[in-house]
Amino acid sequence: MDAVAAARTALATDSGLLLSPSADGQRSTLQVLLAAGRTLDRRRTADRNALTALVRVDGLGIDARKALTDAQIRTLAA
């Protein structure tokens, strides 16, 4: 399933129609997309926390006493 196409279809639909039982397909598509977004957010947070823990243990010269910033993550990626 192309998630982008499904999201565009769901977003283009009048929200009142999504509430009606006749819109089961679109409603379920929207539920799947929202659940996938929540899963991605949790995974991103877990990955970021794991990277912070590795930097704290390894001592790569990056101050990781607080959460890593986007700039620090870009530096590590380089």
Side-chain angles (χ1 to χ4, degrees):
M1 170 197 266
D2 185 3
V4 174
R8 286 185 179 139
T9 300
L11 291 173
T13 304
D14 181 27
S15 60
L17 293 176
L18 291 174
L19 298 174
S20 68
S22 65
D24 282 336
Q26 292 173 343
R27 227 181 342 174
S28 63
T29 300
L30 190 55
Q31 288 174 342
V32 168
L33 290 172
L34 291 173
R38 287 190 297 270
T39 300
L40 287 172
D41 285 340
R42 281 193 297 272
R43 183 75 241 167
R44 186 180 306 115
T45 300
D47 289 344
R48 199 171 186 122
N49 289 342
L51 181 61
T52 301
L54 285 172
V55 170
R56 286 178 181 165
V57 170
D58 199 1
L60 298 172
I62 293 179
D63 183 12
R65 290 177 287 178
K66 295 181 182 177
L68 294 175
T69 64
D70 291 338
Q72 289 172 318
I73 291 174
R74 281 192 296 275
T75 300
L76 288 168

